[in-house]
Amino acid sequence: MSDLDSLVKQYKFNALSRRGFIKGAGALGVAAPAASSILTMAGPAYAATPKRGGVLRIAEGNTADTLEPVRMTSTTDALYANQVYSRLTRFKADLSVEGDLAESWDVDPTATIWTFKLRKAKFHNGADVTAEDVKASFALHTAEGSESAAKAILSGVKSIEAVDKLTVRITLESGNADMPITLSDYHLCVHPAGQTDFGAGAIGSGPFKIAEFRPGEVMYFERFDEYFLDGMPYLDGLEFIPVPDSTANLNAILSGDVDMIHDISPAAFDKMSQAPGITVYNIPTGSFANFVLMCDRAPTNDINFRKGFKHAMDRELILKQAYSGIGTISNDTPIGPTYRYFSADVKPLEYDLDKAKHYFKKAGISSMEIFTSEEAGAAANDVAYTYQQGAQGALDVTVTKTPADGYWSHTWMQQPICMSGWNARPTVDAFLTIAHMDGGGWNETVWGSPEYDAKIIAARAELDESKRAEMYHDLLSQLNEEGGFANPVFSNALEATSERVKGFEPHSVGAMGGFFNCSHKVWLDS
């Protein structure tokens, strides 16, 4: 089955909107008029009436999983969060924003005062969701000593007021035109004020509530009958089943043991496309597996080493071998073609072993060790080994695989060179704020400066689109030239569901349908 055939199939089974089909087809080189003609010939989208009932089984789980918003780090945490909690807003598959708990919002002309009107909603314990709950939930992220990744996102917040029971006013230090999109970040979950149990007793207002909470063994969520969207969710429950590796992941859906998987190895994608009873999804995204070159320790604190590292990176070889050609060459920034402010003029350093040797010699380095794990993404290990292959002749490279369990604590940001993996973020500002501001929650390369931070803050407040685009170009160019972020390829989201799964919406920002924030719409046709 070709990628275009897969898109047609997704459209016909209502897993992809018309707009989503045309965008996906465009990424495959099909012009919009031609894509529209294809849809006309394909006929109307499958419009069967959703059925209630059934348990959806998802291959996912790790012993380090958490439902505590300030500690969430992984894709799995985000998947859980979108079942148990709601946020103020939701980022849709067509990359527009809609209200989640927020029924509506307005803003002053300077984009500094945002007022959100909440819908009437219940927590899983029967209590009403109030503005005080929103205020208290956000306060945990910004509290002194908080290590939440969302602390950086909320760093520009001057105050949060509960104007009345259902009205929240957020005042910013400076304008942010993207604030509604920013608040869709999965960390910004709303829970009852004063909640301290984020284990089996965690409470939210999301479409599903906790039935079993055993990280690394089983996570089971059951339908919340008082969810604020009438008639939803359709499923009786969700079961997250841990699998040990990518091979087991594939076998689980092929054998019918699970209904949904994500992060399929590109090498296995063609095989999955041919499997009977399986629907596959190939979605261009801003996701990637990257090298972290930590700028606070040797040898990666030397800009000569970082330049040598990038010149020794054969990106075409990595795209071919690690991603089976499915993806887009990156420019050592986290912002790819799927983003509104992507800058095509920011170019990666060319693959040149002579230049690599020159810079490694200036840094006084003749060997290095790269630490990796599948936890950083299905292709992470292959990316590391392919880099090793391409760098031969420039220096000696050792690749060390470490256990997936606990990778984010025992290896990531502990070793000077390690693999990392990121899903896309809804905006350029969200990515730069979280991962590249000095002192940001997940500034894994420990690169940045107060001056760079000031440029990020100025760009988010700029309402003139052309000026804002120029500002982001300059920020990304500086990161490309000086930073410790080395990203060879933007990957596509390769996911699969059983054909009985209906209503699933693939998403370019966040695995499994935007971290499965479409779960309330999904149903089973058994």
Side-chain angles (χ1 to χ4, degrees):
M1 181 186 295
S2 71
D3 291 342
L4 189 59
D5 289 337
S6 177
L7 288 175
V8 171
K9 189 174 183 181
Q10 292 170 47
Y11 172 78
K12 289 182 69 64
F13 280 88
N14 208 27
L16 195 65
S17 67
R18 184 180 184 86
R19 180 176 175 182
F21 175 89
I22 292 173
K23 183 174 181 179
L28 297 174
V30 180
S36 183
S37 297
I38 290 170
L39 287 188
T40 299
M41 291 185 290
Y46 183 38
T49 303
K51 300 176 182 178
R52 289 178 67 86
V55 174
L56 182 73
R57 302 158 302 165
I58 301 171
E60 193 74 24
N62 194 299
T63 57
D65 298 343
T66 183
L67 277 166
E68 185 172 2
V70 299
R71 292 181 53 237
M72 291 175 179
T73 57
S74 68
T75 293
T76 315
D77 295 339
L79 291 172
Y80 297 160
N82 280 337
Q83 314 321 311
V84 175
Y85 303 108
S86 304
R87 294 163 307 287
L88 284 183
T89 58
R90 188 196 309 272
F91 201 44
K92 298 172 62 179
D94 64 3
L95 303 187
S96 64
V97 65
E98 67 178 356
D100 194 11
L101 281 174
E103 190 172 62
S104 62
W105 56 84
D106 58 56
V107 62
D108 76 327
T110 65
T112 57
I113 302 175
W114 291 85
T115 304
F116 295 84
K117 185 69 175 179
L118 305 183
R119 68 174 81 240
K120 292 182 179 180
K122 295 280 188 183
F123 283 120
H124 298 158
N125 62 359
D128 292 335
V129 178
T130 71
E132 289 290 350
D133 297 311
V134 176
K135 179 179 178 180
S137 298
F138 286 11
L140 293 182
H141 296 282
T142 59
E144 186 175 352
S146 168
E147 297 182 0
S148 169
K151 188 172 187 176
I153 294 176
L154 299 176
S155 62
V157 173
K158 185 176 182 180
S159 66
I160 301 178
E161 305 169 70
V163 178
D164 57 40
K165 185 177 179 181
L166 293 177
T167 307
V168 178
R169 180 177 297 140
I170 300 176
T171 303
L172 309 177
E173 297 284 356
S174 58
N176 184 351
D178 293 331
M179 197 62 183
I181 302 176
T182 299
L183 293 177
S184 69
D185 184 272
Y186 70 84
H187 295 88
L188 299 178
C189 307
V190 177
H191 49 75
Q195 178 165 309
T196 57
D197 183 356
F198 292 99
I203 295 169
S205 58
F208 297 91
K209 59 184 180 180
I210 297 172
E212 288 187 69
F213 181 85
R214 288 181 282 144
E217 297 180 41
V218 64
M219 298 287 272
Y220 187 88
F221 303 107
E222 62 185 7
R223 180 172 60 224
F224 178 43
D225 289 326
E226 293 185 81
Y227 184 54
F228 51 75
L229 295 179
D230 288 344
M232 295 181 176
Y234 301 120
L235 297 167
D236 288 336
L238 301 170
E239 184 178 8
F240 290 84
I241 303 170
V243 293
D245 53 45
S246 57
T247 300
N249 198 40
L250 297 177
N251 290 337
I253 194 165
L254 290 172
S255 65
D257 291 336
V258 300
D259 304 298
M260 182 178 291
I261 64 172
H262 74 100
D263 210 8
I264 299 171
S265 168
F269 189 71
D270 281 346
K271 176 184 176 182
M272 290 298 298
S273 299
Q274 303 299 325
I278 302 293
T279 301
V280 296
Y281 306 90
N282 180 356
I283 310 112
T285 75
S287 302
F288 49 82
N290 64 290
F291 297 93
V292 175
L293 311 178
M294 299 193 70
C295 298
D296 64 342
R297 65 198 69 181
T300 43
N301 59 348
D302 188 329
I303 193 169
N304 289 303
F305 177 88
R306 300 198 295 272
K307 287 182 177 180
F309 187 97
K310 293 175 183 179
H311 276 301
M313 187 188 302
D314 190 340
R315 299 166 197 270
E316 293 289 350
L317 184 65
I318 290 173
L319 176 61
K320 179 182 178 181
Q321 292 192 178
Y323 293 96
S324 298
I326 305 172
T328 305
I329 295 293
S330 173
N331 56 3
D332 292 327
T333 82
I335 306 305
T338 59
Y339 282 85
R340 180 179 180 185
Y341 295 106
F342 167 66
S343 181
D345 293 332
V346 179
K347 305 292 186 182
L349 291 181
E350 72 273 25
Y351 173 59
D352 189 319
L353 292 182
D354 288 335
K355 289 183 179 179
K357 286 189 287 186
H358 167 76
Y359 284 112
F360 285 138
K361 184 176 180 180
K362 288 186 71 173
I365 298 298
S366 60
S367 64
M368 65 173 162
E369 185 174 13
I370 299 171
F371 291 82
T372 184
S373 168
E374 273 195 354
E375 181 64 13
N381 292 339
D382 290 337
V383 170
Y385 283 116
T386 307
Y387 179 92
Q388 179 188 44
Q389 178 183 342
Q392 286 179 5
L395 82 170
D396 293 328
V397 180
T398 300
V399 175
T400 300
K401 289 175 63 175
T402 62
D405 244 13
Y407 178 77
W408 303 112
S409 58
H410 61 60
T411 300
W412 180 63
M413 294 185 69
Q414 304 301 313
Q415 301 294 341
I417 309 172
C418 64
M419 294 303 299
S420 183
W422 289 80
N423 286 288
R425 290 299 185 272
T427 65
V428 174
D429 177 69
F431 222 134
L432 293 180
T433 298
I434 292 173
H436 298 286
M437 284 189 83
D438 190 23
W442 286 346
N443 186 346
E444 58 189 3
T445 64
V446 200
W447 176 84
S449 67
E451 293 76 19
Y452 194 78
D453 291 358
K455 292 179 182 180
I456 294 174
I457 293 169
R460 80 166 65 119
E462 180 55 63
L463 300 181
D464 183 293
E465 288 293 307
S466 60
K467 289 181 180 178
R468 199 177 191 201
E470 290 177 8
M471 295 166 82
Y472 280 132
H473 169 83
D474 291 343
L475 281 162
L476 297 175
S477 180
Q478 185 177 350
L479 176 61
N480 166 285
E481 294 170 4
E482 302 174 14
F485 177 87
N487 170 29
V489 171
F490 289 105
S491 61
N492 288 12
L494 305 180
E495 305 172 343
T497 66
S498 161
E499 282 193 335
R500 72 189 191 116
V501 176
K502 309 300 180 185
F504 175 67
E505 296 178 344
H507 203 302
S508 64
V509 180
M512 209 174 286
F515 302 120
F516 208 33
N517 72 19
C518 61
S519 63
H520 57 291
K521 300 179 181 179
V522 170
W523 53 282
L524 296 176
D525 186 17
S526 53

